């Protein structure tokens, strides 16, 4: 299975600032995703990160608020822009398919716990 | 719209007391049903993918089964270290994103 790391693991940020979260995978993967998990809730997909092109966002999420980059097959970033307390969540990177994982298995990183004050 | 409903929301078992968690789903053509375990403060850990009705998969004390409408995660003789939230997700045909349920929070008491 693919090994996924995320940086930072946690952060406390001021309202109105931005935070960029990095996701690094130890093998080339086909698909990369970003999820949000609010306290006590399940996972909500923010977007699919597409290599070399704009990410595909789910309903309710927009590029201006959550810009995403994916420069290659092993790395992606998610930025949470102009943060408010409602953005306090765990943000999770997830991957599927590629040299290190089956296309029928999807793996998650350890998450980034974000608190906005 | 694809939907996943998990029950119960929370389950408390004595060590050794076997039970089952339920995942009911509606999906426009099932490609796969996924089970994950999530410990507090960590990302979900992949357990199983099931593809067709009648399929079963096992891992240690866990066995997952699948019908056309639901999946069960059977836990046999659980131990305190099995305490976690168990998440179910479905993927429709095509390379579509997973849709998750809200999870079942399992507590196993020694």
């Amino acid at each position: 299975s693919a090994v996924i790391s995320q940086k930072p693991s946690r952060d406390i940020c001021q309202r109105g600032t931005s935070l960029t979260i990095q996701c690094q995978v130890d093998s080339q993967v086909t698909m990369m995703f970003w999820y949000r998990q609010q306290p006590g809730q399940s996972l909500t997909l923010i977007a699919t990160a597409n290599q070399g092109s704009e990410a595909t966002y789910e309903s309710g999420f927009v590029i201006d608020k959550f810009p995403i980059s994916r420069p290659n097959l092993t790395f992606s970033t998610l930025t949470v822009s102009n943060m408010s307390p409602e953005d306090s969540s765990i943000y999770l990177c997830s991957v599927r398919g590629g040299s290190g994982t089956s296309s029928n298995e999807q793996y998650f990183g350890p998450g980034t716990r974000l608190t906005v004050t | 719209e694809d939907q996943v409903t998990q029950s119960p929301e929370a389950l408390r078992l004595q060590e050794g007391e076997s039970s089952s968690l339920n995942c009911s789903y509606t999906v426009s053509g099932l490609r796969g049903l996924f089970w994950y375990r999530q410990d507090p403060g960590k990302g979900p850990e992949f357990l199983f993918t099931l593809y067709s009705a009648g399929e079963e998969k096992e891992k240690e004390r866990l066995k997952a089964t699948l019908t056309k409408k639901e999946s069960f995660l059977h836990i046999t003789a659980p131990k305190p270290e099995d305490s976690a939230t168990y998440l179910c997700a479905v993927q429709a045909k095509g390379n579509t994103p997973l849709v998750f349920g809200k999870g079942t929070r399992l507590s196993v008491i020694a």
Side-chain angles (χ1 to χ4, degrees), chain A residues 31 37 42 45 96 104 106 109, chain B residues 36 38 49 51 91 95 101:
Chain A
M31 303 191 75
Q37 187 173 31
S42 191
L45 180 64
R96 187 164 83 215
N104 297 320
Q106 185 164 328
Chain B
Y36 290 86
Q38 186 174 27
T49 308
Y51 300 101
Q91 183 187 17
N95 222 358

Side-chain angles (χ1 to χ4, degrees), chain A residues 58-84:
Chain A
E58 298 298 303
S59 176
F61 298 96
V62 295
I63 187 171
D64 290 345
K65 176 66 176 178
F66 297 101
I68 288 170
S69 78
R70 188 179 172 189
N72 56 50
L73 294 176
T74 64
F75 185 79
S76 177
T77 66
L78 167 74
T79 299
V80 186
S81 303
N82 188 25
M83 289 185 283
S84 66

Side-chain angles (χ1 to χ4, degrees), chain A residues 31 33 35 37 41-43 45 48 58 92 96 103-111 113, chain B residues 31 34 36 38 40-44 46 49 51 87 91 95-98 100-103:
Chain A
M31 303 191 75
F33 308 93
Y35 286 81
Q37 187 173 31
Q41 301 298 313
S42 191
L43 282 70
L45 180 64
T48 302
E58 298 298 303
L92 293 154
R96 187 164 83 215
S103 62
N104 297 320
E105 297 174 355
Q106 185 164 328
Y107 296 92
F108 286 82
R113 182 181 294 273
Chain B
R31 177 175 179 178
F34 297 69
Y36 290 86
Q38 186 174 27
K42 296 187 177 181
F46 172 79
T49 308
Y51 300 101
L87 297 168
Q91 183 187 17
N95 222 358
T96 55
L98 301 186
F100 281 84
K102 293 184 177 180

Side-chain angles (χ1 to χ4, degrees), chain A:
Chain A
S1 64
V3 177
I4 306 166
S5 60
Q6 288 185 231
K7 290 182 182 179
S9 59
R10 59 177 60 219
D11 207 341
I12 300 173
C13 300
Q14 295 288 329
R15 182 195 301 257
T17 63
S18 298
L19 176 72
T20 295
I21 303 168
Q22 299 180 2
C23 175
Q24 179 72 55
V25 191
D26 70 341
S27 58
Q28 293 185 339
V29 294
T30 305
M31 303 191 75
M32 296 183 78
F33 308 93
W34 287 98
Y35 286 81
R36 181 172 75 182
Q37 187 173 31
Q38 295 180 304
Q41 301 298 313
S42 191
L43 282 70
T44 301
L45 180 64
I46 298 172
T48 302
N50 301 310
Q51 192 219 348
S53 64
E54 195 171 286
T56 304
Y57 290 84
E58 298 298 303
S59 176
F61 298 96
V62 295
I63 187 171
D64 290 345
K65 176 66 176 178
F66 297 101
I68 288 170
S69 78
R70 188 179 172 189
N72 56 50
L73 294 176
T74 64
F75 185 79
S76 177
T77 66
L78 167 74
T79 299
V80 186
S81 303
N82 188 25
M83 289 185 283
S84 66
E86 293 71 36
D87 295 320
S88 297
S89 286
I90 298 174
Y91 291 85
L92 293 154
C93 174
S94 182
V95 303
R96 187 164 83 215
S99 58
T101 179
S102 162
S103 62
N104 297 320
E105 297 174 355
Q106 185 164 328
Y107 296 92
F108 286 82
T112 295
R113 182 181 294 273
L114 171 62
T115 302
V116 183
T117 60

Side-chain angles (χ1 to χ4, degrees), chain B residues 3-16:
Chain B
Q3 285 190 326
V4 177
T5 303
Q6 291 188 247
S7 61
E9 289 186 15
L11 181 63
R12 185 182 174 99
L13 298 173
Q14 292 292 320
E15 184 172 4

